[in-house]
């Protein structure tokens, strides 16, 4: 069964939208197989965002993502990676249609409520980054 890493971002947490977002994932039929809350530090953010860590806008990402604790989830389900991305809508919340998580709850490209894995391969890497294997639970 496919898995995806989800991070409920600081804007989601600040707006008290975690329950709404999690409900949407559960209502879509996905199973939560791991969950925890933590604050992201500079070293983990540089690793997670390595593909843009050398860009001039990275300090803004780092400041935003470390501004408050976030919730990490691992969702499991058939085709979960693409289905979650469809539920979220485009990365830029301003372009996301109503009815999508980002369209309903996000504000812009960075404050877009949720990070979600973009491929099965990256999901595996990201899950390993934030969870130990014994933290994953299955029925």
């Amino acid at each position: 069964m496919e898995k995806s890493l989800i991070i409920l971002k600081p804007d989601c947490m600040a707006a008290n939208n975690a329950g709404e977002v999690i409900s949407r994932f559960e209502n879509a039929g996905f199973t939560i197989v791991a969950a925890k809350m933590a604050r992201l530090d500079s070293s983990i953010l540089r690793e997670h965002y390595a593909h843009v860590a050398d860009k001039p806008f990275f300090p803004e990402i780092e400041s935003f993502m470390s501004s408050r604790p976030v919730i990490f989830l691992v969702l499991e389900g058939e085709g979960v990676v693409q289905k979650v991305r469809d539920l979220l809508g485009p990365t830029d919340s301003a372009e996301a249609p109503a009815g999508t998580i980002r369209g309903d709850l996000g504000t812009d490209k960075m404050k877009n409520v949720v990070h979600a894995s973009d491929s099965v391969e990256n999901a595996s890497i990201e899950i390993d980054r934030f969870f130990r294997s014994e933290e994953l639970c299955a029925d």
Side-chain angles (χ1 to χ4, degrees), residues 95-107:
E95 298 175 3
T100 64
I101 291 171
R102 290 176 174 151
D104 294 346
L105 305 173
T107 57

Side-chain angles (χ1 to χ4, degrees), residues 32-82:
I32 298 170
V33 297
K36 66 180 167 182
M37 185 177 212
R39 186 178 292 270
L40 293 164
D41 64 25
S42 185
S43 64
I44 196 78
L45 285 166
R46 287 200 168 274
E47 181 182 342
H48 187 65
Y49 289 103
H51 59 290
V52 295
D54 62 342
K55 304 288 186 196
F57 56 83
F58 179 74
E60 187 180 358
I61 293 172
E62 186 176 29
S63 176
F64 169 64
M65 289 299 292
S66 63
S67 66
R68 69 184 322 124
V70 297
I71 293 176
F72 303 93
L73 303 170
V74 177
L75 298 180
E76 184 176 75
E78 189 172 320
V80 69
V81 170
Q82 187 56 52

Side-chain angles (χ1 to χ4, degrees), residues 5-27:
L5 178 84
I6 303 298
I7 302 173
L8 302 184
K9 293 172 124 181
D11 57 314
C12 180
M13 303 304 290
N16 293 318
N17 284 328
E20 162 96 13
V21 172
I22 292 168
S23 289
R24 291 193 191 197
F25 292 145
E26 289 180 321
N27 290 338

